[in-house]
Amino acid sequence: MEKYRCVICDYIYDPAEGDPGNGVPAGTPFSDLPADWVCPLCGADKSNFEKI
């Protein structure tokens, strides 16, 4: 699965880890994140992420 980077703060969303602190289980692809999911570090929305 592909990782995505926040262009604002450089947070890396890794699908293998998910975002358990925000209710996203490990194994969740970026494309399957809820529409209202935001970067856990800076609060940027999904449009501020780029595939790496």
Side-chain angles (χ1 to χ4, degrees):
M1 283 188 270
E2 299 161 330
K3 296 179 183 179
Y4 284 76
R5 180 181 69 88
C6 177
V7 298
I8 296 173
C9 72
D10 290 331
Y11 168 80
I12 304 294
Y13 176 76
D14 182 350
E17 296 175 12
D19 183 12
N22 289 302
V24 178
T28 302
F30 188 81
S31 61
D32 289 350
L33 289 172
D36 61 350
W37 182 85
V38 296
C39 176
L41 296 184
C42 74
D45 65 35
K46 288 173 63 176
S47 69
N48 289 294
F49 279 73
E50 65 183 8
K51 185 169 56 170
I52 55 172

